[in-house]
């Protein structure tokens, strides 16, 4: 049995993802009309949205920008005291940016960057969603009615970020934020860490770091929304195909996470996953599952092969070729 380390429980869960898009109107159509999310506020060049099962006022923010890619990634802390502790630790690590007064739906937050440069924040004060009459569910414990519009995703689930140094960013997430690593992929007889999947709670993974094969910084491979079952993933594929959305991979099943997936590009160019069926982790002493190249393969348990774009395309896109040191990394699926 590996050494059990007292868990750091200061950070609760993924709170909100901001996605940058050069085509705000078309991206809004994709998320509102095809994925079935609700618009809760608009401010400047940003649209605040939510999925019907999310308890918070808004969990997704679309912001107009010159290029697609990740915006600010928000993590909710367990308490005001936990927030202060994490801020002190991040400041001591030299990764802090500073406090901001607040944002729509939440109180003050502390901005920082991970070692690869992704923009993140920590916060505690959160406005609960109160549905207007037209969106009130007849089910008392559901924050918002199931509208049955489009794929009707239930909640934000996770994001996969690219990093030049996966191990350094994984260690940052573990040591400073309290992430626990569920699964990882080590190539070249364990010498090269090309992916780590980690979580703050029982969800299989809320964030993954995967190798940026082009050697860039601050990029995103995909973000993911949860849907309740595999049949709904197939239905989502029909909805996207009927609307001429590019489906890059799936529906198929991953080996690590065991999830059923569907990847498409929203009109702004970001890769979006619709996802169901991954396992949860209840053991506090769960032992990280480590895959080598033979065991891992391309990451597909069953289903169609992954296209080359799956490894090479991330947002924002860069025109540089795959870095020479990564030329022998096979196409793998970042889940
Ligand atoms: Fe994923």
């Amino acid at each position: 049995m590996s050494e059990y380390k007292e868990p750091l429980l200061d950070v609760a869960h993924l709170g909100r993802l901001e996605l940058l898009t050069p085509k705000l109107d078309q991206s809004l159509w994709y998320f509102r009309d095809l994925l079935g999310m609700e618009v809760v506020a608009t401010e400047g060049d940003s649209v605040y949205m939510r999925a019907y099962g999310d308890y918070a006022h808004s969990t997704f923010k679309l912001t107009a920008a010159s290029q697609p890619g990740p915006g600010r990634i928000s993590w909710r802390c367990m308490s005001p005291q936990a927030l202060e502790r994490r801020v002190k630790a991040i400041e001591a690590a030299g990764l802090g940016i500073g406090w901001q007064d607040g944002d729509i739906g939440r109180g003050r937050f502390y901005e920082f960057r991970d070692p690869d440069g992704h923009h993140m924040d920590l916060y505690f004060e959160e406005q609960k969603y109160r549905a207007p009459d037209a969106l009130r569910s007849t089910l008392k414990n559901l924050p918002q009615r199931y509208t049955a519009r489009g794929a009707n995703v239930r909640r934000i689930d996770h994001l996969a970020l690219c990093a030049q140094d996966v191990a350094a960013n994984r260690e940052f997430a573990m040591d400073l934020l309290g992430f626990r690593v569920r699964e990882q992929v080590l190539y070249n007889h364990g010498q090269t860490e090309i992916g780590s999947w980690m979580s703050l709670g029982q969800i299989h993974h809320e964030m993954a770091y995967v190798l940026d094969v082009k050697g860039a910084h601050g990029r995103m491979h995909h973000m993911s929304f949860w849907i309740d079952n595999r049949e709904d993933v197939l239905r989502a594929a029909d909805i996207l195909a009927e609307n001429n959305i590019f489906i890059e991979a799936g529906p198929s099943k991953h080996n690590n996470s065991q999830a059923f997936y569907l990847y498409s590009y929203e009109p702004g160019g970001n890769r979006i996953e619709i996802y169901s069926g991954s396992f949860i982790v209840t053991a506090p002493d769960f032992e990280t599952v480590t895959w080598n190249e033979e065991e891992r393969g391309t990451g597909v348990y069953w289903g169609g092969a992954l296209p080359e774009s799956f490894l090479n395309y991330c947002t924002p896109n860069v025109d540089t070729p795959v870095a020479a040191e990564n030329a022998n990394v096979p196409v793998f699926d970042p889940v």
Side-chain angles (χ1 to χ4, degrees), residues 25-225:
D25 290 344
Q26 293 98 314
S27 295
L28 178 57
W29 164 74
Y30 173 93
F31 289 102
R32 181 188 57 206
D33 296 356
L34 304 189
L35 266 52
M37 302 181 74
E38 293 295 330
V39 173
V40 287
T42 301
E43 185 180 71
D45 287 334
S46 294
V47 181
Y48 293 74
M49 307 182 77
R50 53 173 282 104
Y52 77 94
D54 289 325
Y55 75 84
H57 171 269
S58 59
T59 51
F60 181 65
K61 180 179 177 181
L62 264 179
T63 297
S66 59
Q67 293 189 90
R72 205 172 71 239
I73 300 155
S74 303
W75 306 99
R76 189 175 186 203
C77 288
M78 284 285 190
S79 66
Q81 296 82 359
L83 172 59
E84 296 293 338
R85 284 193 294 269
R86 289 305 95 215
V87 168
K88 280 199 177 78
I90 288 169
E91 283 180 335
L95 293 164
I97 297 174
W99 287 100
Q100 299 294 333
D101 286 341
D103 197 354
I104 289 177
R106 63 193 46 173
R108 69 177 197 146
F109 59 90
Y110 185 81
E111 289 183 278
F112 63 98
R113 292 194 185 275
D114 70 7
D116 199 75
H118 299 96
H119 191 187
M120 297 184 173
D121 74 69
L122 291 169
Y123 69 100
F124 173 71
E125 295 169 17
E126 177 92 86
Q127 180 183 339
K128 304 285 193 304
Y129 181 66
R130 298 284 180 253
D133 288 347
L135 288 174
R136 194 164 296 154
S137 176
T138 55
L139 193 56
K140 189 172 183 179
N141 58 8
L142 190 58
Q144 176 204 308
R145 68 178 299 167
Y146 180 90
T147 60
R149 185 177 63 247
N152 217 168
V153 294
R154 180 183 279 269
R155 58 175 171 78
I156 58 167
D157 191 84
H158 66 265
L159 70 163
L161 301 175
C162 307
Q164 265 197 33
D165 185 339
V166 171
N169 285 274
R170 178 203 19 96
E171 287 169 6
F172 155 81
M174 294 172 72
D175 296 344
L176 293 178
L177 300 178
F179 279 87
R180 282 154 280 165
V181 181
R182 306 312 190 193
E183 306 199 46
Q184 61 181 176
V185 179
L186 304 179
Y187 273 59
N188 304 324
H189 304 289
Q191 297 303 305
T192 308
E193 183 172 336
I194 66 167
S196 279
W197 290 258
M198 59 196 90
S199 181
L200 296 158
Q202 295 186 347
I203 290 176
H204 177 273
H205 65 285
E206 294 174 277
M207 178 167 68
Y209 282 113
V210 296
L211 181 67
D212 192 320
V213 294
K214 292 190 173 182
H217 280 293
R219 302 204 298 157
M220 181 185 80
H221 186 272
H222 69 268
M223 60 171 295
S224 182
F225 293 90

